[in-house]
Each structure stands twice: as structure tokens, then as C-alpha cells.
Amino acid sequence: MAIPANNTAPLFGEGASGTLRLVAYLVAAIALMIADRRGDWLERLRAGASVVTEPAWRLAAAPSELARDARVALADRSALTEQNAELSRQLLLAQTRLRRVEAVQEQNQRLQELLSVQKTLGLSVQLAKVIDVDFGPYRRHTILLDLGSDNGIQVGQPVIDARGLVGQIVEVRPRSCTVLLISDKSHAVPVRIERTGLRTIARGSGTLDTLELPNIPTSADVKPGDKLVTSGLGGRFPADFPVGVIRSIGNDASGMFAAAQATPDAALDRSAEVLVLHELANPVGPPAPAEEIGPPVSLKGGDEPAPPSVVVPAPDAAKPGEN
């Protein structure tokens, strides 16, 4: 193939000029770096260039920063949620333990008070736990204890707590018994005003915080704040045991007698443990019935009159003429 005649340029001419330019640029760049290194000549140029280019690279980096911040926020929120849940569980557990300790302390205090009452009275008692209550407005005021006939419990035994008289047992089952509270309308207890010695009857009103004392003589010295104690009459309840405190006094509907209201001393709606009395110290009441002694029925004649029986008074019965 023939070479065109007009192609007279050297083979490496263009490449040589490009190499010279590159060498010149390199020499100029090295000179500028050396000059900037020694004299900071390009500091202002860099500062101006950064002002121009900073918004651009910030805008370019914004999506990644937003994504990173979102991941951090979600992770922090999840961690805070778990931490709050764990702290809540720990707080609930601590409160439960604290409440349990307080309940044990309260129970120990109640038991110590009951033990103190037992030692003070010198009576034979049994500690019983309240397992059920019934304070309905149209029902009897009763509580259920965890003692029964298997434990020697009998109907009529009085029940007390550390503060005062609670009531008496009205129903007994093998392993439980029912106590009628002194606040029940069907319950009455002989009492004595401690300050004056006046004897009267305290009846339940149907509300846990009120006892009624009807038929008090209008001339009797009775004041609010007077303490009521059991009189011991009838031998059912121990004498001089707290019953309540007179709250108010006024005339009854007829106007012939005074009537008072009292607040029970016993914690009728809060007692968790009570004492069941088995025997009374120096009970006050009528003497035991006399025992009749006579000849056997088989020795009596069919038509002959029976000889008069001999009455022998019981050892604790009062003799005629004695007070």
C-alpha cells in the first residue's frame, strides 16, 4: 500500500508535546507544594474553596447521616424501653418484698399484743386465725375461725383480741367455728362504766363502729369518753375486759331514759388473729344448781309416799343468810 504524500508529521511529535506539558505541570505542582509547605501561601485559597465545597459534600453526606441517626435513635429507644421494663419489674418486686416484710412485722406486733393480753389475764386461751368475714348490711355480723370441735371449741365461748371484746362463738364445726360479733343487732353484753361503776347492757347496732346503750337512767352520771368494760355478770365474759368508749349520749324516743352510743375497742373489721377463752377467772353469776339426793326409785313403794328428798347445796353455792 502506498503512503500518502501529504503525511509529513513526525511519528512521536504529538506525544512529545504532551509529555513536556505533564512535566511542566508536575514541576509547577511540586513548586507550589514546597512554597505552601514553607510559607502557607495557599491557605486563603483552601479556605475559600472549602466555603464553596462544604455545602456540596454536606448535602452528599446527608442521606447517610440521616440513616445512621435513625438507626441510633431506634436502637436507643428499644434499649430504653427494655431498661424501663426491667426497672419496672425490679421496682414491683422490691415493693412486694417490702410489703411482705411490713405484713410480717404487723403480724408479729399483733401476736405480741395477744400474748401480752394472755399473760395479763391469766386465762386459758387458744390463738385462732380469721379465715372469713361476713359484714353484710342485712346479714349477721360474723367471722369464721380456723378452730373447731376437733380443737375443743364449744358454743358460747367468748372471743377477744388485743384491744377488746370481739364476740362469742355461736356455731361449731369440726375444723371451724362462727363468731357472732358484738356489733350484731342480736348480740348484747353486760357492761360497766369504769368511771362510775354503773351497770348496763351494750347492744349491737348493726354497724361495726357503734354499740347502743339503751335505758340508762336520766340521773346517771354518764359522759362521752367514759370507758365500758365487761361486768362479768352471767359468767359468759371475763370481768373488766375493754368493750368500748361512749361517744355520745342523749334521750331515747320516750324521753324517760337516756341512750348512749359507744365505739367498740376491738378491731372488728381488721383483726386477723383472735383469742378464744376457755375458762373465766372468778366468774360472776348465779350459783350452780343444787344436787338432789334421795332413795333409789326401785326402793319406793307403789302406794307409799316417797320420802322427802334431801337437798345438798353445791360447794360453791351461797348458804342462806350469807351475802
Side-chain angles (χ1 to χ4, degrees):
M1 175 184 253
I3 299 175
N6 58 355
N7 189 3
T8 59
L11 180 62
F12 302 101
E14 184 178 357
S17 63
T19 302
L20 291 176
R21 286 196 299 270
L22 176 60
V23 171
Y25 293 155
L26 291 176
V27 171
I30 293 172
L32 290 175
M33 286 189 293
I34 294 173
D36 182 59
R37 176 67 178 175
R38 293 185 176 183
D40 293 336
W41 289 357
L42 299 179
E43 181 66 27
R44 293 182 179 179
L45 180 60
R46 285 197 300 270
S50 65
V51 171
V52 176
T53 59
E54 182 178 1
W57 66 260
R58 285 187 178 275
L59 182 62
S64 62
E65 292 182 356
L66 291 176
R68 183 176 62 255
D69 292 343
R71 289 194 301 270
V72 171
L74 291 176
D76 291 344
R77 182 171 182 178
S78 177
L80 289 176
T81 302
E82 294 179 358
Q83 185 178 9
N84 289 339
E86 181 63 23
L87 291 176
S88 298
R89 287 192 294 268
Q90 294 179 2
L91 179 60
L92 180 60
L93 180 60
Q95 290 176 344
T96 303
R97 291 176 176 174
L98 179 61
R99 180 54 188 164
R100 177 58 180 169
V101 171
E102 293 177 351
V104 171
Q105 292 178 348
E106 293 176 358
Q107 183 180 16
N108 290 338
Q109 182 178 359
R110 292 195 303 267
L111 293 177
Q112 289 177 358
E113 292 176 352
L114 291 175
L115 181 61
S116 176
V117 170
Q118 177 184 358
K119 292 181 178 179
T120 301
L121 295 177
L123 302 177
S124 175
V125 300
Q126 275 183 284
L127 179 66
K129 183 178 180 180
V130 178
I131 58 178
D132 194 12
V133 297
D134 188 359
F135 301 145
Y138 302 105
R139 305 178 64 179
R140 296 197 307 172
H141 288 189
T142 59
I143 58 176
L144 189 67
L145 305 183
D146 63 347
L147 297 181
S149 58
D150 292 347
N151 308 105
I153 301 299
Q154 298 178 357
V155 173
Q157 288 182 267
V159 178
I160 62 176
D161 67 1
R163 298 177 177 84
L165 184 65
V166 173
Q168 61 179 308
I169 296 175
V170 294
E171 186 178 353
V172 178
R173 289 168 291 276
R175 296 185 180 180
S176 63
C177 63
T178 301
V179 178
L180 184 67
L181 302 183
I182 60 175
S183 61
D184 188 80
K185 289 185 177 182
S186 62
H187 194 280
V189 55
V191 297
R192 177 175 58 86
I193 297 178
E194 190 176 41
R195 181 176 61 87
T196 62
L198 176 67
R199 291 188 176 91
T200 183
I201 301 294
R203 299 182 180 276
S205 64
T207 57
L208 293 173
D209 60 348
T210 302
L211 297 177
E212 295 180 349
L213 287 79
N215 302 330
I216 299 177
T218 55
S219 60
D221 183 12
V222 181
K223 299 178 181 179
D226 283 344
K227 296 182 179 180
L228 300 176
V229 296
T230 53
S231 65
L233 293 177
R236 173 73 64 173
F237 301 102
D240 299 325
F241 199 80
V243 175
V245 178
I246 292 181
R247 185 172 66 228
S248 62
I249 185 170
N251 294 329
D252 61 4
S254 65
M256 300 177 61
F257 295 94
Q261 290 185 337
T263 302
D265 285 330
L268 302 180
D269 57 343
R270 298 185 303 275
S271 294
E273 296 87 16
V274 295
L275 295 176
V276 180
L277 303 185
H278 281 275
E279 60 184 28
L280 305 182
N282 300 324
V284 179
E291 180 181 0
E292 295 186 0
I293 300 178
V297 179
S298 61
L299 298 179
K300 295 182 181 180
D303 298 332
E304 296 179 0
S309 60
V310 180
V311 178
V312 179
D316 58 347
K319 296 182 180 179
E322 293 184 357
N323 295 328

